[in-house]
Amino acid sequence: MDIRPPTIAEPPVAQAQPTEPPAGGNRQAELALIVFFLALVATVPIFQAGLELARDGRVEALEIFHRKPTSVNLRAYEHHLEDGSVVARTLRPWFQFAQFAWLRDGGKKALVGRDGWLFYKPGFDDALARGREALSGTNDPVAAIVAFRDALAARGIHLLVLPAPNKSSIYPDKVTSRFAAGRTVLSPTTRQTLARLRAAGVEYVDLFAAFAQARTNSASRGAPALYLAQDSHWSPAGVAIAARIVARRLVELGWVRKGAMEYQERAAPVKHLGDILRMLRSPGLERRTVPERVPCVQVVHGTPAQPYQDNPNSSILILGDSFLRVYEQDEPGSSGLIAHLAKELKQALASLVSDGGASTIVRQELYGRPALLKHKRVVIWEFVERDIRLGLEGWQRVPVPPAATGSRD
Amino acid sequence: MVFTTNIFLFYFLPLFLAVYLSLPRAWRNLWITLASYVFYGWWEPWFVCLMMFTTVMDFIWGKVITRPEATPFQRKLAVTACVVTNLSFLGFFKYYMFAAHTLNRLLALVGAEQFHVMKVILPIGISFYTFHSLTYIVDLYRGHATPAKSFTDFSAFVALFPDLVAGPIIRYKTLAAQLARRDSTVSRFASGITIFMIGFAKKILLANPVGHVADAVFNAANPLPLDAWVGVLAYAFQIYFDFCGYSDMAVGLGRMLGFEFPRNFDAPYLAESITDVWRRWHISLSSVLRDYLYFPLGGNRKGPRRTYFNLAVVMLLGGLWHGAKWNFIVWGAYHGGLLGLERRRGKQSLYEDLPRPVRIGFTFLLMLLSWVLFRADNLAAAWHYFGSMFGLLPAAGTAPLLAADIYTPYRLVVMAVCAALVFQPVQAHDWAQRPLTWPRVAVVTPLFLFSVMTMFTQAFNPFIYFQF
């Protein structure tokens, strides 16, 4: 009978026994390595402390003795040291440049696509992420939208929802050659959310279908792209389509009658360094990149022509994120969705924009500015597709400001 | 604290070494203890209280067990009480929520009222330091070790920061003599630096980038079959270079302090059978499970049936040791089943007669399948992933997008380097064991410098085994 100790692990040589260090190495080489290592790990903090002393008269690392040692404080301290590290801040842009330029790696913020196209990484991740997770509780967009719709309805205001597609949903062929030119995709979460909105009777504008149709047409005609190559936002062409479709939908629903204001258009091209590129925070990269030429179209009225301006007393309020801000508040101004929608509807709109905060923050801001809802008949709520899953502050239920509340604006 | 962070590398380590090397020998263990408590408490300061409590308790139990006047019954009672207490702590912090949720599910099945499950935070590394302490107590009871000469020696052993949170699992008797006396020589220190640098590079330059690939695929909805296989391949590389890198750094740091730790890996992906895998993967855990669980259960001395039963128990508990999830239990059962099959064949694989490269390939394939269980968030996600790997599920419409993220030049180069390193026999640990020469310095110094610079650009990325 086998009486040897049986094994789930019988290491053939050592049974997890320590091994002795090597002997007979080159003493100078050993000393050189030790000096290099100790010098490296000691020089960085000494250099940092010296700089801080010269600059501020105090050493950030010693802050640890002024804080209560809680987990939160320790994390904050550690992040503070990392963020403040001069060595890290000096090296990081160069490394990011090398990673981007030579290895086509854009880190956590950017995804390098085809033909010079860049994609905002969180939006790309959103398109891929599992759709099986339940979006529930304070993170359920449909519940928040329905609650907002009902609260507005109680005040006699209609709600039109406008999800702005992720760039990678409309241009998957610029992400990877696995997609045929002109194809678009819909993530499982977005598909599910749109279906739930339909089921809940929420009125929304399906820009996914509209942009897909536009891409099919533009592929044959060589029309301008609907999104910018280096930026996460839509192009003037995308803005124009969105404005047209939203306006048409509002009229079809009978919620809005076209006004009498005659707006004109004038060319206002700008050179634009995309936000995705800027997120990489690599000055070297920015210097080496040719800014995109964006053929903006400014909405003007009157003689001499004045750029479009909002009217807070309008019966239409549009809420949203940076998709409303681009070309409207950024240069050249009055060339974004708000201005073009106003032109389509022949009337000025009221607007409230919160960068990255369309899921919850913009409604919180609205609650703090009740005058914006005065005289309103329609609210258009724009949010970017990725916010369905990744909305900042989730999808909280935020009450609509009461009608009687006085203005604080 | 994580070895591959700014705070450890540029603040904790130089400060620790400066004080350690300037202290007289008699004070060094005390300094190790204090510094290790800072290192450990960096995550959550109150974790240190728990560790201090169990350390004091185990030290006292050790004294009780080794009292000259203690009767065999008293010694048995003491070791039982100590083991039960330690495992109770481990069980509560690591398995309470899992057990309570499982019980609630059973109650729901029979329609009974469910109870409130309180949220318990898992102290990092508790599995490792509990095992450290248990080896001390059991070895004292068996007469395989002598009691710690002082509380400082024992607390330094339990808290020793290089191996504290992710191993290797070191037995007290391995370090007992070194705790009392260890030599710090230039060669030893330089050798420690070499191994540390190599481990650091493994984590930063290999494990983290391939981990990105694995995360991207495992988090994606229904990936394409090819991508699913690439995802699990990336995870196989990630977990190896992450854990092996950590072990290398632990061995290197230990050596800088004059300690000699056992190696934890021996080219595991060159294993020719699952039995062989467990001689090469996480060697310190498998040998502890063998000596402290398999042998006490009777090993193979009680007949074939009992042997298979013992194997199954050891592997199931080995799986459960990794985490309180059903997928770890199934992972353990999978390995236990394969080990049982191989045992029936005289510890030979089912494909023993095939050429060696094919045997290695088959074993690696079996490992890949097991890594799906290990990596998936839960058992349902693991089955889902298997479905994607074998084309049993339709791929999501967005699935082809993954290509842009995982087949970039950067990721492909790193994957290729990983494959080249794991499938060749000269392991970094062996390489670092050789005498240090100028050419070796010329290799490791730029490698480390490049790794440090890369670290600055990477987000916080703790070691996989921290969660265990």
Side-chain angles (χ1 to χ4, degrees):
Chain A
M1 191 175 113
D2 180 10
I3 54 165
R4 268 187 334 118
T7 177
I8 58 162
E10 272 181 356
V13 182
Q15 297 188 6
Q17 291 303 310
T19 45
E20 277 302 309
N26 182 314
R27 177 50 62 104
Q28 269 111 31
E30 290 172 346
L31 286 171
L33 183 70
I34 292 172
V35 169
F36 164 78
F37 180 77
L38 294 180
L40 179 68
V41 298
T43 305
V44 171
I46 291 170
F47 177 66
Q48 178 78 22
L51 274 179
E52 287 169 355
L53 266 179
R55 193 181 56 203
D56 310 321
R58 65 193 179 102
V59 179
E60 291 292 335
L62 299 178
E63 284 296 302
I64 188 75
F65 300 110
H66 301 290
R67 299 181 186 206
K68 197 176 165 188
T70 63
S71 178
V72 173
N73 284 348
L74 292 173
R75 285 298 76 69
Y77 169 77
E78 189 175 347
H79 290 148
H80 186 66
L81 281 191
E82 276 175 12
D83 293 343
S85 168
V86 174
V87 176
R89 280 160 59 182
T90 308
L91 290 173
R92 201 174 286 139
W94 291 103
F95 251 67
Q96 279 172 338
F97 172 72
Q99 277 188 325
F100 184 87
W102 301 333
L103 298 170
R104 292 170 57 82
D105 183 66
K108 291 219 170 283
K109 295 285 186 186
L111 182 100
V112 183
R114 304 170 68 215
D115 307 328
W117 279 56
L118 299 178
F119 291 84
Y120 183 47
K121 194 73 191 314
F124 168 84
D125 290 339
D126 170 55
L128 281 167
R130 293 177 196 279
R132 286 173 285 119
E133 304 157 11
L135 293 167
S136 58
T138 57
N139 206 27
D140 182 358
V142 177
I145 291 168
V146 168
F148 190 56
R149 189 262 321 258
D150 294 345
L152 288 174
R155 287 188 53 177
I157 303 171
H158 299 292
L159 174 69
L160 182 68
V161 172
L162 177 64
N166 288 334
K167 183 171 156 184
S168 54
S169 300
I170 304 303
Y171 283 93
D173 53 327
K174 294 294 185 190
V175 177
T176 164
S177 59
R178 281 176 168 183
F179 284 94
R183 259 199 68 183
T184 58
V185 288
L186 202 57
S187 83
T189 310
T190 305
R191 189 186 305 278
Q192 183 193 51
T193 304
L194 295 182
R196 288 179 63 208
L197 286 176
R198 261 195 309 275
V202 174
E203 290 295 343
Y204 70 88
V205 174
D206 189 354
L207 282 184
F208 299 91
F211 281 3
Q213 181 65 38
R215 279 219 68 195
T216 310
N217 297 340
S218 69
S220 54
R221 289 188 213 151
L226 305 174
Y227 284 75
L228 298 181
Q230 299 167 357
D231 199 282
S232 62
H233 299 100
W234 45 27
S235 66
V239 166
I241 290 176
R244 228 172 15 245
I245 289 172
V246 172
R248 193 168 63 209
R249 186 84 183 119
L250 287 170
V251 173
E252 280 170 2
L253 287 165
W255 292 355
V256 175
R257 279 192 196 154
K258 286 200 177 182
M261 181 74 92
E262 288 298 334
Y263 290 104
Q264 289 85 45
E265 291 182 344
R266 73 177 175 196
V270 290
K271 285 190 174 174
H272 181 77
L273 196 64
D275 62 347
I276 303 173
L277 209 63
R278 282 181 276 123
M279 284 175 207
L280 294 173
R281 292 185 183 174
S282 171
L285 197 62
E286 291 179 17
R287 275 197 300 274
R288 284 166 176 78
T289 306
V290 179
E292 224 172 331
R293 189 180 174 282
V294 186
C296 291
V297 177
Q298 197 170 44
V299 176
V300 296
H301 68 96
T303 312
Q306 294 295 315
Y308 160 82
Q309 282 194 322
D310 271 5
N311 173 12
N313 294 319
S314 167
S315 64
I316 305 168
L317 170 66
I318 184 163
L319 311 175
D321 53 25
S322 56
F323 275 70
L324 298 188
R325 190 206 67 226
V326 286
Y327 320 125
E328 190 73 33
Q329 296 168 4
D330 300 347
E331 65 168 357
S334 303
S335 309
L337 180 69
I338 300 167
H340 281 270
L341 183 57
K343 178 184 160 287
E344 293 290 335
L345 294 172
K346 298 189 173 194
Q347 57 188 297
L349 316 179
S351 66
L352 184 57
V353 177
S354 172
D355 254 19
S359 59
T360 290
I361 296 170
V362 76
R363 284 176 295 135
Q364 291 172 333
E365 289 178 10
L366 176 64
Y367 186 78
R369 298 174 62 184
L372 267 180
L373 269 187
K374 272 187 181 172
H375 317 298
K376 296 296 176 285
R377 290 198 59 221
V378 174
V379 169
I380 303 163
W381 183 7
E382 176 278 328
F383 53 82
V384 65
E385 180 188 1
R386 62 176 174 274
D387 275 5
I388 293 173
R389 281 168 52 94
L390 310 172
L392 201 63
E393 306 287 334
W395 288 86
Q396 297 172 29
R397 293 189 190 199
V398 180
V400 168
T405 311
S407 169
R408 279 193 273 156
D409 282 331
Chain B
M1 215 175 279
V2 178
F3 294 157
T4 50
T5 54
N6 190 52
I7 189 81
F8 177 82
L9 199 60
F10 297 122
Y11 292 91
F12 180 88
L13 187 60
L15 188 64
F16 171 80
L17 286 175
V19 175
Y20 181 83
L21 295 173
S22 44
L23 280 175
R25 285 173 193 272
W27 290 86
R28 288 183 172 181
N29 285 351
L30 178 63
W31 174 238
I32 286 176
T33 305
L34 295 175
S36 297
Y37 284 161
V38 171
F39 175 88
Y40 186 63
W42 199 255
W43 280 284
E44 182 61 67
W46 74 264
F47 287 172
V48 175
C49 303
L50 180 69
M51 184 195 277
M52 287 168 85
F53 176 76
T54 55
T55 305
V56 171
M57 183 188 72
D58 292 334
F59 183 72
I60 294 169
W61 282 121
K63 291 283 181 203
V64 171
I65 290 167
T66 52
R67 269 189 321 151
E69 63 272 27
T71 63
F73 176 74
Q74 286 172 329
R75 294 176 64 235
K76 196 165 192 169
L77 193 67
V79 76
T80 306
C82 182
V83 169
V84 168
T85 315
N86 274 289
L87 291 181
S88 299
F89 277 120
L90 181 62
F92 175 73
F93 284 105
K94 193 158 182 172
Y95 303 109
Y96 162 77
M97 286 177 65
F98 171 67
H101 284 304
T102 305
L103 191 58
N104 263 346
R105 260 184 236 132
L106 290 173
L107 289 172
L109 278 179
V110 297
E113 192 182 343
Q114 299 180 34
F115 59 92
H116 172 71
V117 180
M118 64 178 166
K119 190 170 166 59
V120 177
I121 299 171
L122 175 69
I124 286 173
I126 190 170
S127 306
F128 285 94
Y129 76 72
T130 301
F131 270 38
H132 287 167
S133 288
L134 285 177
T135 64
Y136 172 71
I137 293 297
V138 175
D139 281 349
L140 285 185
Y141 174 72
R142 288 174 174 174
H144 293 171
T146 52
K149 289 190 170 57
S150 68
F151 178 72
T152 313
D153 282 6
F154 181 66
S155 60
F157 161 71
V158 176
L160 191 58
F161 75 86
D163 69 321
L164 175 58
V165 287
I169 300 168
I170 301 172
R171 306 172 197 202
Y172 178 76
K173 65 181 177 185
T174 305
L175 287 195
Q178 299 174 43
L179 284 162
R181 180 178 174 79
R182 54 189 177 274
D183 297 320
S184 292
T185 63
V186 169
S187 291
R188 192 186 289 268
F189 199 87
S191 165
I193 289 174
T194 308
I195 302 179
F196 178 83
M197 286 175 164
I198 290 172
F200 195 94
K202 282 180 181 175
K203 167 69 176 165
I204 295 287
L205 300 181
L206 300 177
N208 288 352
V210 291
H212 177 93
V213 175
D215 289 346
V217 182
F218 273 87
N219 290 334
N222 302 2
L224 296 167
L226 173 67
D227 297 349
W229 281 97
V230 168
V232 72
L233 182 68
Y235 185 67
F237 293 152
Q238 181 197 9
I239 194 166
Y240 172 65
F241 284 108
D242 190 283
F243 193 16
C244 183
Y246 183 91
S247 295
D248 286 347
M249 281 186 267
V251 169
L253 287 166
R255 196 167 276 181
M256 287 185 222
L257 309 186
F259 290 104
E260 286 305 320
F261 295 167
R263 73 184 298 171
N264 216 12
F265 291 89
D266 186 13
Y269 292 146
L270 287 179
E272 297 173 36
S273 65
I274 294 298
T275 307
D276 195 19
V277 164
W278 285 99
R279 291 179 182 133
R280 295 165 175 267
W281 180 275
H282 204 172
I283 298 168
S284 64
L285 174 69
S286 53
S287 61
V288 161
L289 287 175
R290 179 196 59 201
D291 293 348
Y292 296 89
L293 186 59
Y294 183 71
F295 288 168
L297 285 171
N300 69 352
R301 286 163 300 173
K302 297 187 176 177
R305 278 189 188 177
R306 183 60 186 265
T307 301
Y308 297 128
F309 173 78
N310 291 344
L311 265 179
V313 168
V314 168
M315 292 315 294
L316 279 174
L317 290 176
L320 198 59
W321 176 87
H322 284 90
K325 284 181 176 179
W326 282 105
N327 39 326
F328 288 125
I329 296 172
V330 176
W331 177 83
Y334 172 86
H335 276 280
L338 288 173
L339 284 172
L341 276 175
E342 290 183 356
R343 181 142 201 110
R344 262 181 86 91
R345 294 173 52 88
K347 295 185 190 170
Q348 290 191 335
S349 66
L350 301 172
Y351 37 86
E352 182 64 25
D353 299 331
L354 298 173
R356 182 169 181 262
V358 181
R359 293 200 300 273
I360 291 173
F362 267 125
T363 308
F364 185 65
L365 183 65
L366 292 172
M367 288 286 282
L368 282 186
L369 297 177
S370 80
W371 288 136
V372 173
L373 293 163
F374 207 85
R375 170 61 179 79
D377 293 337
N378 51 53
L379 211 46
W383 300 140
H384 203 87
Y385 197 87
F386 280 128
S388 294
M389 284 171 75
F390 294 103
L392 302 174
L393 290 175
T398 50
L401 288 172
L402 255 183
D405 202 14
I406 62 177
Y407 302 125
T408 65
Y410 178 39
R411 315 260 180 246
L412 290 173
V413 165
V414 175
M415 290 280 281
V417 171
C418 287
L421 289 175
V422 299
F423 292 120
Q424 56 83 41
V426 181
Q427 298 296 294
H429 191 280
D430 301 317
W431 189 84
Q433 279 298 110
R434 295 174 191 164
L436 195 66
T437 56
W438 280 111
R440 287 173 189 277
V441 173
V443 171
V444 291
T445 47
L447 187 70
F448 183 63
L449 207 53
F450 184 64
S451 306
V452 171
M453 290 193 281
T454 308
M455 178 188 82
F456 288 131
T457 66
Q458 291 181 349
F460 177 71
N461 208 331
F463 293 87
I464 292 175
Y465 263 70
F466 277 21
Q467 62 186 298
F468 305 141

